[in-house]
Amino acid sequence: MSHHLSSPCSPSGPAPLPALVARLRAAGCVFAEDEAELLLTTARTPSDLAAMTDRRVAGFPLEQVLGWAEFCGRRIAVDPGVFVPRRRTEFLVGQAAALLRAAPRPRPVVVDLCCGTGAVGAALAAAVGSHADTSTPQIELHAADIEPAAVRCARRNIPPSTGRVYEGDLYAALPPGLRGRVDILVVNAPYVPTDAIGLLPPEARDHEPLVALDGGADGLDVQRRVAAEAAQWLAPDGHLLIETSERQAPHTLDAFRRGGLRAWPADDEDLCATVVIGTGGDGAAP
């Protein structure tokens, strides 16, 4: 993405960029130049810029300060206290989009579970687009999260014209009528082991909800719950996709198989991303 230094808050005199960069660098921001440019182009007034800079220097995630994150080429709204979508999760979107394009039904059902901002669901809806003759999305999209703040944010990124967002704990949040109908169940569940939470960067540890980070003793508690019930919700040839880590992937695979799914891993070294994909029907591993 390209950004420009001109913005509504730029003063008529010399641009505040050097001073802003220096302040961010002093606060420990590694990419101070890029962050300063983003703050300048996003702030609407000098007072906005001052407030945003104060929050960033105080350690808030840049995306929460800006109010958005770039994800799959789109701006995703990010509210304070909501999990920030990571670039590696773009790989999860890419894997799901490829399966969607091969789906046998004209309007496949997609569920974004543990949706956070709704970034994954919104990106998938954008990737497949709408039918040429109408404005109807090419997927029937549903998303859910247990965090009320995340649900409010997701409803901004997934408006009613695109899909529906529910609040609740995993499958309990979904309409019962989706059982056995889901073609793509895409999940970015928390997978950080509890003992490793303290090792996360402060901006994640202190400003993102613990429920979106903590995956239990080995990081896989939520993944196991998702995999255990997935077969009841998937269509006969539907797929479950879960983001995990390379180290945890064998255990994620085991959870899928215990849930009655045939499963295989996919990796992207550039993004340091790992996804486990499973199916309970006729869908075959590559």
Side-chain angles (χ1 to χ4, degrees), residues 167-250:
E167 181 182 332
D169 185 18
L170 299 180
Y171 300 106
L174 301 177
L178 289 178
R179 283 182 180 269
R181 294 184 54 231
V182 180
D183 296 288
I184 297 293
L185 176 56
V186 62
V187 187
N188 186 14
Y191 56 94
V192 179
T194 301
D195 288 346
I197 295 295
L199 304 177
L200 292 174
E203 58 187 39
R205 185 178 67 232
D206 298 338
H207 300 290
E208 293 183 311
L210 186 62
V211 70
L213 301 171
D214 191 343
D218 65 353
L220 302 177
D221 284 0
V222 182
Q223 290 190 7
R224 291 191 186 95
R225 291 179 57 205
V226 170
E229 295 187 47
Q232 303 172 35
W233 293 85
L234 292 176
D237 48 6
H239 290 84
L240 168 65
L241 300 91
I242 291 183
E243 178 177 299
T244 191
S245 71
E246 183 179 11
R247 178 182 59 81
Q248 293 165 309

Side-chain angles (χ1 to χ4, degrees), residues 68-89:
W68 57 270
E70 184 176 350
F71 184 79
C72 290
R74 299 173 59 81
R75 281 196 178 188
I76 298 295
V78 180
D79 293 338
V82 175
F83 181 80
V84 176
R86 273 52 165 178
R87 184 166 177 262
R88 64 175 170 268
T89 305

